[in-house]
């Protein structure tokens, strides 16, 4: 597929994130007004709420675009998803008859404030990159026991906090928690000293389920994808995670990019999961390629200093796809809801500079990495972390928009009296 031309000139930039081929969904506000649904096109945002009110967009079962979230459209189902995308493409394509009627409903992206694009129902995070799991396991258990016995058979995950999901640009406060170093007899209550990021892709469930679904059915339930940073307090995690896994270490914040890139926009970039080290049980086997070829990177900018790229990897490095994760999630009969968010887990590649967390990049803090004229083992106060991602087409890109957060210092002891 080649670049689809738009009458909006900035959408035809081959290096731009939001061409006509993309049309991602977000929620924005301007001038102190109410948040509303919008679609990114080049350097502009189409106010689809206004366009719907003006009669330029009419959807079955509508109006569906008047809220401050995309959940109503998701609930309407895949046929309505396709109808909206087709209508938007027609309205914004080069030579569109409605161009002048649509022009008053365009807003410059630089003038907009972005908000969470959907109401998050539940959040589940996985541990599904083999390189990441092998690196972390080697650090803590040795190479011979790096992967847990179940890892090659099952997508491992844990239930996180939907209430902690925030949109890109939201500052993150260094958390307090129980920590205990190996040389200490008892734990302490202190600010996390080993605060980290996780480079992930989040899948958004657009249709509910009631009972187990197949991998193919799960794939059809996924509305779209966002970049996701699951901020992690590694020292809190080390003390608390046995026997039930992550808890407060992962509850501080999870940042997502502001634009939902639809599964339909990513369809040309399908990629297979890797060859299996052991056969999966039949319910987890995929009917075709279920990953996507999405280039990913992480930038770290110390306070008042330029950003440095510290990692580059690709979503195709995942061992389990989002469809497999979702299918497995339903096996117990667990109902899935519209707006559920599934984090891929940290995405790491085979090379040292393709690791998606500082825990791996610095090998547990033992080999700090260079960041300009400074070094880092973990995140320091004032650091800004930015996740980026795009799928590269023929003369165009499908971008997600930045997923950014700045770490603020811990506040004083919340229990001091």
């Amino acid at each position: 597929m080649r670049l689809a031309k738009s009458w909006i000139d900035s959408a035809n930039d081959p290096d731009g994130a939001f061409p006509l081929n993309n049309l991602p969904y977000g929620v924005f506000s301007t001038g102190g007004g109410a948040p509303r649904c919008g679609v990114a096109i080049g350097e502009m945002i189409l106010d689809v709420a206004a366009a719907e009110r003006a009669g330029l967009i009419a959807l079955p079962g509508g109006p569906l675009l008047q809220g401050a979230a995309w959940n109503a459209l998701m609930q309407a189902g895949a046929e309505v998803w396709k109808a909206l995308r087709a209508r938007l493409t027609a309205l914004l394509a080069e030579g569109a008859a409605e161009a002048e009627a649509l022009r008053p409903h365009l807003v410059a992206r630089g003038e907009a404030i972005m908000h969470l694009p959907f109401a998050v129902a539940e959040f589940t995070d996985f541990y599904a990159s083999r390189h990441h799991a092998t690196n972390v396991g080697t650090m803590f258990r040795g190479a011979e026991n790096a992967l847990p016995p179940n890892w090659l058979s099952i997508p491992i995950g844990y239930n996180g906090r939907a209430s902690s999901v925030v949109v890109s640009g939201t500052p993150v406060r260094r958390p307090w928690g129980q920590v205990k170093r190996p040389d200490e007899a008892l734990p302490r209550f202190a600010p996390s000293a080993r605060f980290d990021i996780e480079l992930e892709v989040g899948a958004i469930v657009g249709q509910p389920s009631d009972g187990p679904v197949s991998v193919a059915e799960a794939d059809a339930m996924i509305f779209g994808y966002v970049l996701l940073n699951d901020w992690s307090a590694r020292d809190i995690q080390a003390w608390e995670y046995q026997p039930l896994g992550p808890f407060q270490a992962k509850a501080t914040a999870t940042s997502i990019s502001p634009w939902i890139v639809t599964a339909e926009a990513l369809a040309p970039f399908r990629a297979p999961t890797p060859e299996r080290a052991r056969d999966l049980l039949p319910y987890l086997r995929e009917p075709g390629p279920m990953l996507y070829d999405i280039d990913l990177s992480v930038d770290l900018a110390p306070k008042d200093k330029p950003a440095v790229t510290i990692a580059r990897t690709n979503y195709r490095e995942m061992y389990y796809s989002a469809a497999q994760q979702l299918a497995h999630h339903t096996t117990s009969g667990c109902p899935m809801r519209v707006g559920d968010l599934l984090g891929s887990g940290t995405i790491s590649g085979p090379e040292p500079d393709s690791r998606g967390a500082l825990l791996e990049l610095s090998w547990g803090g033992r080999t700090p990495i260079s960041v300009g004229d400074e070094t880092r083992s973990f995140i320091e106060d004032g650091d800004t972390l930015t996740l980026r991602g795009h799928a590269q087409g023929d003369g165009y890109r499908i971008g997600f928009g930045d997923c950014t957060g700045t770490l603020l210092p811990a506040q004083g002891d919340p229990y001091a009296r």
Side-chain angles (χ1 to χ4, degrees):
M1 183 180 292
R2 294 175 179 270
L3 172 69
K5 290 293 188 72
S6 170
W7 56 267
I8 297 175
D9 289 341
S10 60
N12 301 323
D13 179 356
D15 296 321
F18 305 125
L20 186 61
N21 307 66
N22 192 350
L23 301 179
Y25 301 150
V27 170
F28 75 103
S29 63
T30 54
R36 55 204 187 271
C37 289
V39 173
I41 177 72
E43 295 299 323
M44 309 300 288
I45 298 173
L46 173 62
D47 184 339
V48 291
E52 186 180 50
R53 290 194 300 272
L56 292 163
I57 298 172
L59 297 171
L64 297 173
L65 307 177
Q66 298 306 304
W70 285 85
N71 296 60
L73 180 78
M74 289 191 269
Q75 184 76 52
E79 291 305 312
V80 180
W81 306 350
K82 291 180 182 178
L84 176 59
R85 184 171 172 81
R87 180 58 177 157
L88 290 169
T89 300
L91 287 170
L92 294 164
E94 189 175 58
E98 299 95 336
E100 289 309 309
L102 206 65
R103 200 179 295 276
H105 305 305
L106 292 170
V107 175
R109 279 199 292 117
E111 298 174 3
I113 296 172
M114 302 306 299
H115 304 269
L116 273 178
F118 66 105
V120 182
E122 309 277 357
F123 172 50
T124 303
D125 197 39
F126 287 86
Y127 184 57
S129 161
R130 186 171 182 179
H131 295 296
H132 173 68
T134 299
N135 288 337
V136 172
T138 299
M139 268 184 260
F140 294 108
R141 293 184 298 275
E144 66 283 356
N145 296 308
L147 293 179
N150 61 352
W151 199 92
L152 294 170
S153 296
I154 186 173
I156 296 173
Y158 70 92
N159 289 316
R161 292 290 303 174
S163 63
S164 295
V165 178
V166 297
V167 74
S168 171
T170 305
V172 174
R173 179 78 61 181
R174 184 183 295 274
W176 286 74
Q178 276 203 29
V179 296
K180 179 185 174 299
R181 294 194 304 264
D183 61 346
E184 292 177 320
L186 294 172
R188 297 170 289 113
F189 188 68
S192 171
R194 293 163 68 91
F195 203 60
D196 200 359
I197 62 155
E198 292 191 347
L199 168 60
E200 304 189 24
V201 168
I204 301 165
V205 178
Q207 286 287 279
S209 68
D210 184 11
V213 302
S214 68
V215 173
E217 290 168 333
D219 187 61
M221 290 167 58
I222 296 173
F223 179 66
Y225 295 83
V226 291
L227 301 181
L228 186 150
N229 178 0
D230 193 34
W231 301 85
S232 301
R234 300 299 186 186
D235 41 3
I236 297 173
Q237 183 178 356
W239 173 236
E240 75 178 2
Y241 83 101
Q242 295 189 48
L244 296 181
F247 183 35
Q248 293 300 87
K250 301 281 192 168
T252 300
T254 299
S255 300
I256 64 171
S257 52
W259 297 103
I260 302 170
V261 176
T262 64
E264 189 172 351
L266 288 170
F269 305 96
R270 288 282 197 180
T273 46
E275 183 178 350
R276 301 298 171 188
R278 73 169 70 124
D279 288 341
L280 297 176
L281 294 178
Y283 81 92
L284 279 174
R285 294 174 191 164
E286 297 171 291
M290 293 286 171
L291 290 177
Y292 299 98
D293 183 358
I294 302 171
D295 288 324
L296 301 164
S297 65
V298 179
D299 284 4
L300 190 157
K303 186 177 181 180
D304 299 326
K305 292 188 177 181
V308 175
T309 299
I310 60 172
R312 296 184 188 277
T313 186
N314 193 288
Y315 183 57
R316 63 173 178 260
E317 296 290 351
M318 297 301 300
Y319 195 80
Y320 295 102
S321 67
Q324 288 174 304
Q325 293 168 348
L326 178 52
H328 180 69
H329 210 326
T330 68
T331 54
S332 64
C334 168
M336 303 304 294
R337 300 176 181 177
V338 172
D340 279 353
L341 175 63
L342 307 182
S344 62
T346 305
I347 305 168
S348 295
E351 303 302 326
D353 62 355
S354 64
R355 297 167 179 167
L358 282 159
L359 176 69
E360 294 173 84
L361 288 164
S362 71
W363 207 253
R366 292 189 284 273
T367 56
I369 62 169
S370 296
V371 181
D373 59 358
E374 301 185 20
T375 61
R376 288 291 184 276
S377 294
F378 293 96
I379 307 171
E380 296 189 6
D381 294 346
D383 287 351
T384 297
L385 280 298
T386 301
L387 278 51
R388 294 190 173 92
H390 73 271
Q392 184 64 53
D394 183 2
Y396 71 97
R397 290 182 169 186
I398 301 294
F400 288 78
D402 293 354
C403 180
T404 297
T406 299
L407 183 63
L408 303 179
Q411 292 179 321
D413 185 342
Y415 297 105
R417 296 292 187 268

